Amino acid sequence: MIVNRTVRLVTTALIVTALTPISASRGQQAKLTSPTCTPSSVLGTPPLGKLATARGVLVGSAVNDSALATDPAYACVLGTEFNMVEPENSMKFAATEPAPGVFDFTRADVIVAFAKLHHQSVRCHNLVWNLFNPNWLTSATFTKQQALAALSNHIAKVVGHFRSKCSQWDVVNEPIGPSGTGLAPSPWLKWIGPSYINLAFTYAHRADPNARLYLNDYDFNGNGVRTRSLVSLAVSLRRAGVPIDGVGLQLHSIQSPARSAFLSQQMATAAAARLSVAMTEVDYAIALPVNTTALVAEANYFSDLLSTCLAATNCRTFNIWGFEDQYSWIPGFFTGYGAGTPLDAHLNPKPAWQALRVALSTK
Ligand code: 9MR
């Protein structure tokens, strides 16, 4: 159902109220860094983030920084409907250290400032990943000593820059190997050995002792092998005294069909080692075109996962990988798939949006 949406933009400096159809304002060049706004009431009241705060949980979304800068309707919904945000790409290695020893926080700073303005927690992503690194890093031929210096400098500078602003950091992203066991091939593994993981956590903790530090990964086809490996790696790090606080379960549906009982069991294993669990990148790839059955399945996916998180003693973070379909990563990576978020490309709520609201309101 496409509802004729409106967004009310209210500037704080100059009290100007403009009532604009939301679809008409999408894509216009505008920066929404200081105004507050009220999204259309079709999203429900109170906002999702307020329901989350009342339940003592963080419910957030990945943030597309160019959408934030250019699309006021996107910024309006992001700023009002969530109590947490997570930069989708702008804190990654290639964005923050584009040349060796040269740091650029411009893109990420905008998101952190936006979050502060909207009283949102910031989940920060990520410090170390075996994929999507800058060319200078992937083509480097470091000795172990040089690699240690590069890793410690990167983490000290990035975590130091955002010190006290990131409530959580994904310190190592996707550490598990392609088969679901062992470690993924990575430049850091090659140069330093498996201790690159321990060291990354130690460096991050040193740079911001208050940030909660996560090991984050996806499952593959939901067979559980990879999730088990992830949890057991996190538990062994914790037992070895590494400053790790939790496990991040990405939960992209195309890789990880929801299996609540299995996830509850893994969360309990983590809890026994005093590790928290965050659901970090939830989305549901639909084979296009969208139909009602798929939308219901999507709603069930979001609802099952959020309810599973709420039912666990150690899960208080639920992050979706984009909140609306226009800027989602899915169509660009999986041809013929899309519509993976709770709001459609016109910011109209899909059944999944209502499902999230119901899950947060149900005890
Ligand atoms: O959604 C992100 C996409 O825009 C980027 O091109 C891609 C590479 O940096 O990363 C995507 O986000 C990934 C996240 O960082 C880690 N887990 C899987 C996500 C989807 O690929």
Side-chain angles (χ1 to χ4, degrees), residues 29-89:
Q29 290 288 321
K31 285 200 174 152
L32 203 70
T33 46
S34 62
T36 56
C37 74
T38 311
S40 162
S41 59
V42 294
L43 296 187
T45 47
L48 191 72
K50 289 251 179 337
L51 293 175
T53 302
R55 280 300 287 271
V57 290
L58 294 171
V59 173
S61 173
V63 181
N64 177 312
D65 55 342
S66 63
L68 183 64
T70 57
D71 188 338
Y74 176 98
C76 177
V77 173
L78 180 71
T80 49
E81 290 294 329
F82 298 95
N83 61 359
M84 181 179 73
V85 293
E86 175 169 336
E88 182 171 359
N89 290 315

Side-chain angles (χ1 to χ4, degrees), residues 88-89 92 125-126 129 131-132 173-174 216 218 250 252 255 281 283 321 327-329 333-334:
E88 182 171 359
N89 290 315
K92 289 176 180 170
H125 173 84
N126 61 61
W129 190 8
L131 298 175
F132 298 103
N173 189 46
E174 301 173 13
N216 189 49
Y218 62 90
Q250 294 184 8
H252 297 286
Q255 293 157 329
E281 304 184 13
D283 58 15
W321 208 241
Y327 301 108
S328 164
W329 71 292
F333 280 70
F334 300 101

Side-chain angles (χ1 to χ4, degrees), residues 174-194:
E174 301 173 13
I176 305 298
S179 66
T181 57
L183 295 179
S186 111
W188 303 110
L189 181 65
K190 184 177 70 188
W191 294 320
I192 300 173

Side-chain angles (χ1 to χ4, degrees), residues 122-144:
V122 186
R123 187 165 202 288
C124 294
H125 173 84
N126 61 61
L127 296 169
V128 181
W129 190 8
N130 57 328
L131 298 175
F132 298 103
N133 285 309
N135 286 341
W136 71 262
L137 185 70
T138 45
S139 60
T141 49
F142 286 148
T143 62
K144 182 171 182 179

